Every structure is written in C-alpha cells, then in structure tokens.
Amino acid sequence: MTAPATPEPLWEVEDVSTYLRVPVQTLYQWRKRKYGPPAARVGRHLRYDPASVRTWFADQSQAA
C-alpha cells in the first residue's frame, strides 16, 4: 500500500507574483476587479492553490 501524495503547499501573493511576473499590487487590483487566479483568505492572508494558478494562466494563454 502506498502513502497518499502530499499536496503542494499553498502559494502566497509573492509566489504568484513571481510565477506570473507581475507586481504584487497588480494581484490585489485584479482581485478587487474579480479577475486573476482564484485566491482564498486564510485569516488575513491570501493563499493560492498552485494548480489553480497554473490552470488560470493556461486559460489566459489560450484566450489570447
């Protein structure tokens, strides 16, 4: 029997900023406009599922 796979850690705003190569402030503006990769609040912090960020990015690439 194999052990369950460990999920990838959630990304912080800075991680998404680095991945997408956009300023952190841009991510906050996108969130206010209901655009950009989905994020969830954990306490007062935003966290992103890396798989969701990659999927969002792929969808944007196809739409262009």
Side-chain angles (χ1 to χ4, degrees), residues 29-64:
Q29 289 172 358
W30 284 354
R31 182 164 167 82
K32 191 182 262 188
R33 296 179 181 148
K34 300 192 186 310
Y35 179 74
R41 285 227 171 261
V42 177
R44 59 183 210 161
H45 304 283
L46 284 179
R47 295 293 183 259
Y48 294 81
D49 175 20
S52 295
V53 174
R54 291 182 188 109
T55 299
W56 177 85
F57 180 72
D59 291 346
Q60 301 310 303
S61 299
Q62 293 172 0

Side-chain angles (χ1 to χ4, degrees), residues 3-44:
T6 304
E8 188 173 4
L10 296 175
W11 285 355
E12 297 180 6
V13 176
E14 292 80 9
D15 299 320
V16 178
S17 172
T18 300
Y19 179 78
L20 296 177
R21 296 183 183 179
V22 298
V24 168
Q25 194 58 36
T26 297
L27 292 171
Y28 287 118
Q29 289 172 358
W30 284 354
R31 182 164 167 82
K32 191 182 262 188
R33 296 179 181 148
K34 300 192 186 310
Y35 179 74
R41 285 227 171 261
V42 177
R44 59 183 210 161

